[in-house]
Amino acid sequence: MIQCYSIDALSASGDKAWRLQLDDSWRVAVYGEALQENDARITDNGKAEFWVGRRLKKDNKLGLTPQKKAGKFDFFMRGVFSHIVIHHLQQVSLPERTQMEACIASLVPGSPWLLYLDTAAHFQAVDSATTAIIGNLEIAVRGEIASSPDYVGITAVENQARMEVTYRQFLAGWLEHLNTSKMNLFIPDVEKLKEEVEYIEAIGSWRPETM
């Protein structure tokens, strides 16, 4: 899949946004908007991770300059922070239920597993005790952390009613990811779900950005 990241900065109130340019300057933008010609495009996750949750200082001459990464409580303070925005530049895949079930069945109960969709619409899982979740650029859509055999392992997959709901939750999350370009999105509550066919049709109708 062809994709890249842009770097958007957002004010504390969320009413102002800027986007990093190829020459390291910043232009006024609408948060999460489509790419424009001179926007910086990052394809390396390591380089993109530099900007995840980074505090930015406003300077009359230099514009926005990067400072330290956000601390645990920084998002409760006033300030400008940088955010990663993903841009899919070719048609995306539909997440597959069979692949989701295979992933869940492969997990051993007892560890705090996080089931998620990566940016290629593939189901993956990580042990949240040993792998960072916040700011992880592999995670497009994430579920709840679970360790019980009711939710992970072969027994969990035998509950087809639960698998049906879980799949719809991830379809809804994937559609939101495509429409908003946001990363690390939570799946929605069950009460907010639509029918599976509605998500499948909407994902099929979605079109990527043009370069």
Side-chain angles (χ1 to χ4, degrees), residues 23-186:
D23 62 0
D24 293 329
S25 65
W26 297 80
R27 69 171 177 84
V28 176
V30 175
Y31 184 84
E33 70 180 26
L35 288 168
Q36 295 189 20
E37 183 178 359
N38 293 316
D39 292 349
R41 303 182 185 194
I42 300 175
T43 56
D44 179 80
N45 276 19
K47 292 181 179 179
E49 285 169 359
F50 171 85
W51 293 100
V52 174
R54 187 166 293 276
R55 181 183 288 277
L56 301 169
K57 181 180 180 181
K58 297 180 72 174
D59 185 288
N60 291 334
K61 293 183 178 179
L62 300 176
L64 298 174
T65 56
Q67 306 296 302
K68 293 181 179 180
K69 285 264 193 175
K72 184 176 181 180
F73 300 107
D74 274 355
F75 287 102
F76 296 100
M77 299 167 61
R78 294 187 62 82
V80 178
F81 290 91
S82 57
H83 301 266
I84 304 298
V85 175
I86 191 169
H87 301 272
H88 292 285
L89 304 176
Q90 79 177 29
Q91 196 62 31
V92 298
S93 300
L94 180 73
E96 296 180 3
R97 178 170 169 173
T98 54
Q99 200 254 322
M100 180 194 77
E101 293 184 2
C103 183
I104 293 173
S106 71
L107 304 178
V108 178
S111 297
W113 294 105
L114 175 76
L115 179 69
Y116 69 92
L117 277 171
D118 64 21
T119 58
H122 297 148
F123 284 97
Q124 310 276 3
V126 293
D127 185 337
S128 63
T130 58
T131 304
I133 296 173
I134 303 301
N136 188 327
L137 294 181
E138 297 295 327
I139 300 174
V141 182
R142 55 166 293 187
E144 298 291 341
I145 295 171
S147 60
S148 163
D150 290 334
Y151 295 93
V152 297
I154 295 175
T155 302
V157 176
E158 292 174 351
N159 187 335
Q160 285 295 293
R162 180 171 290 145
M163 291 299 100
E164 187 271 335
V165 171
T166 301
Y167 181 59
R168 275 197 291 146
Q169 286 178 298
F170 274 98
L171 286 179
W174 182 242
L175 180 60
E176 183 182 358
H177 165 76
L178 296 177
N179 287 335
T180 65
S181 296
K182 293 180 179 179
M183 300 287 292
N184 224 298
L185 289 169
F186 278 103

